[in-house]
Amino acid sequence: MQPLFDRILLLKRVPFFALLRTDQLRHIVPMLEPAGWASGERVFEKGDPSDRMYILLSGRVGIVLHDDPESTEYVAQLGHGDCFGEMGLLDDLPRSATVHVLETVEALSLSRVRLHGMLQAYPELGIGMLAALSGRLREANDARIKSRHLADNPK
Amino acid sequence: MLKRQLASWLLIRNGEERVVLYLSLLYLALGAGMAVGRSSSDALLFKRLGVEFLPQMFFLTSFLLVGFSAVYAEFSDRLHPSRMFKYIVALTGIFLVVVWGAMQNGGSKIAFAAYFLGYGVVSEILLVHSNLYASGFLDLSQSKRISPLINAASRLGGVVGGVTLGLLSSRFPTEYMALVWALTLVEAFFLIAAYHRGEQRIRAKTKPLKKHGRPLVHIREGLEFARRSSLLQIAGLGLFVMIVLISMQDYLVSTILTRHFQNERDLAAFFGWFSAFTNFAVLLLQILTTNRLLRRFGLKLVSLIFPWSTAASFALLGLSASFLPAVIGRFNYTGMMPAFRNPSANLFYSALPGYMQGRARALSIGLILPLGLAVSGLLLMWVPKESVGESLAVFGLLLSFVYIYLKIVKNRIYAASLACLIQQQVYTGIGEELEEIGRLDERVVGELKQLLQQTEDGDNYVAYAEILLHGAPQDAGKILLETLPGKSAQVQDRLLPRIAELAPPGWQDYMRCCLDSVDTHLRATALTELAKRGDVDALRAIHGWLVHTNPRIRAVAAQACFAAQDPVLHEVAERTLRTMLSAEKPGAIIAALSVMPGLKLFSLDDAVRALLQHPDAGVRAAAIAATGAIGAVGERLILLARALRDEDVVVQRAAEKNAVTLMPITESEYAAALDTYFSFFHMQSLLTNYLAQSELAQRKTILLAIAHRHLQRAWDKKSVALHALSLAQQASARQADEAGFLRLVLNEEVLRHIDIALDILALLDEAQMARAISAALASRDRRLRAQALESLRHIENKALVEWLLPLIEAAQDGARWEHTVPDMPRDMNEMIAWCKRQGGQWLRQCAALMEEETSRATPV
């Protein structure tokens, strides 16, 4: 199938873009820039400036919240179709996590400037973003509750 | 396979099987018990106490209902419906065992009356609570499919109960039937307990019991709401009339039947077999008719069936108060009522706000039902025994017509209430309200002035200013001149032309001050307004501005020249603009283009046309905004369509904003444009929108025709989209992916066709309702969508609704789809060709890309 259609379907599966129609997504596809890293590299480190978000085409990455970039305490592992790095695009703060490449990654990236332009053009995107962020928040809450439960009941 | 076919036949969808099975078994047990209870309590009362005591029983039931419904309302809000259900069932079982003991060996007459009254109270409370309980599992669209099904299970229970009574009444004394009823309640208790077993651990704390008056508060709140809700008023009145009618019919029919049968056992056996027959007949009606009628015609028709059957049965009794009409009369209130009236009455509650549904039910059971029974009891006690025949039937017939009338009125109000309810839940815009303000008095003007002085928010300032300009134009100019200086340049810029129009004393001085502003927009607006009115200072300033280094200032100076009445200035201005349009820097071109709309400079048309192809998106956007007067309609529409397809969204938005100046003028131009751009959704919405706003005589006809065409195309696309699934199974991996993609796009286009049809409905006479429906369909809320579908059935334009309903049901609810197209594609190549032929712009593009891919993949 045409790469354009593959990309559109990929975007359709990303919660950020799920509410857009395929004819709207086709305008977004050309704005995505290809990116790639080999296994063992880091996509970015905690504290780096946030300027773009990424959608994984292949490979796997691990997310580390620890201040030490060498740490391998992954709070989440992401794979095909997942996206990361979107928080910084919205709050304009430095990266809150380090992303390690676990398996060689092919990805698509979207810059902050383009995302802001798209938000104006397709307001539905904002709702998709809220849905995705709310999903992340839920996951974080669950993880926090679980870790607190483990701390209270070490056995 | 069999299971799937059965589910499809019974309209049960995936994931609903478990709940349907549970509710069906529960209703089966309850139905069996109620059949036994009703028949045996009737037989025992009529023969042991006497049918002439029936009016007194109605009267007493009314008081008991008030008390028990107060207790029910007290606990129904505090307890989970399942827990409440268990309590009701358990307490009824205990009551039945006690009453059975009291009825033993001839028993006291009070025991037979208690058994009859107990049935009267329990049947009402169980009916209300079981419906409330079931509605918690189902939304409106599910209710319409599934509630007739679970009610049918209750009927099946009635058959079982009736047969049991028919068989047992000849072998056992009739009072033993209370124990049979109690046994069915034990079964119901264990079913509820088993289904909700897992939920006990996460059960929320029960709400604290308030000290007193809670049920009365509910009824009072229900009454207060009824004062505001015409739906509740008419429904309450309808319910009252219905109770009086049913009581009259019951009394009349029971008297005839008691006379006909010599002893209690024969009467009980007859009631048992009759109950079995009635329930079986109603079972067939419910499975085969009610839900299909509800889906096909909605509540509007179904809610009228019972009133008409009541009128017909009274008519028969009026002709002859004998055995056969009595049997038909009993069938009316034991069969027709649960088959048609009860399911539709439950659905009516969905048109009330959620917080009021419980109160409305409390009002019905706690006030209207007892009041109806008390009035019926008194009325029938007053009727002489010898008149319990044809004359009572004639009175019933007349009252039936009142009931039918009330139902018709209720249907009309129901549709409006449903639309209102949706609007409360989704924002659909409130439209322009300024026109309703009227003239403002001095006090309000003073308050507005104070607000204008105090507010620091620009938007608030403009909003207050608009109110003032509409409501007190004579004072507005002066007040704005006093309060506007010091506000942001943007706010001043917005209001400057309005002040110039009103020309209050000192306005020119204020404008001249604005000429010195650092804000270019404000300076330009002030210059234009002054030049329009030939202000000497402004005209002097223009010459300097025409050669200013800032292109924006040069452009506004040129614009101001055209406002002045001087041909020499016009010529200079045109030259300036032409030079700017051929500049290299996009900024200069955009500045020139931004002042051109409305100037009608035909001599610059060619320059503007060329700029529509400019590589800079900002220039293209400004150029499309300046093309208003270019060429003929055909050319203008081509330019608009091209801009709407521009790769840059800024250009698309500019085209959309400027569309009004590019629209056709005559009816034939509109019809031709709608036909030419049929597959271009964006153009369709703009064209239909502006056509609807026009004064053209044939606009409604043209719009309805195009809406039909869209819906027909949507039906075809829906069919082909479904067919794509089977094509994908036969195709290669690549083609299967393509089929999946085309299916996705086809379904998106179906929704876009639906949107256009709904927009057209909104643009015509059904604005409020169509907008509410549209918003509800776009929401992800199942209940709202179900309410929207119900509202759609009440839209006047039936021809469009008939096309719309199945489409929306299939798109939103996954309902079955059986339509097909004559040129249904047989393989992927034909599918691609079909999409290229019938698809919208994007679908065609997808199909063309796939075709290219196929030709590349095929070896030569």
Side-chain angles (χ1 to χ4, degrees), chain B residues 2 6 16 82 114 166 205 259 287 343 362 392 479 531 551 625 737 813:
Chain B
L2 185 70
L6 188 68
E16 293 173 346
S82 63
K205 270 187 188 172
R259 268 189 227 136
I287 291 180
L392 188 62
I479 294 173
D737 287 347
D813 213 13

Side-chain angles (χ1 to χ4, degrees), chain A residues 1-6 8-9 12 18-23 26-27 117 120-123, chain B residues 646-647 649 652-653 734 737-738 741 744-745 748 752 780 842 845-846 849-850 852-853 856:
Chain A
M1 196 162 64
Q2 283 267 346
L4 170 69
F5 300 146
D6 280 330
I8 289 174
L9 288 178
K12 194 81 189 155
L19 293 180
L20 297 185
R21 289 192 312 267
T22 50
D23 62 314
R26 90 183 132 150
H27 293 298
Q120 283 180 352
Y122 307 109
Chain B
D646 195 285
E647 63 189 23
V649 79
Q652 293 171 25
R653 295 283 179 267
R734 177 177 60 82
D737 287 347
E738 287 177 349
F741 193 85
L744 179 66
V745 181
E748 285 176 349
R752 299 195 79 182
R780 295 183 148 198
W842 167 232
Q845 209 175 321
C846 294
L849 283 168
M850 285 173 189
E852 253 179 62
E853 180 93 354
R856 268 206 305 271

Side-chain angles (χ1 to χ4, degrees), chain B residues 140 350-351 413-423 787 790-791 794:
Chain B
L140 190 67
S350 58
I413 298 172
Y414 167 71
S417 297
L418 209 52
C420 231
L421 180 67
I422 297 171
Q423 278 195 318
Q787 285 170 344
E790 185 53 37
S791 298
H794 293 267

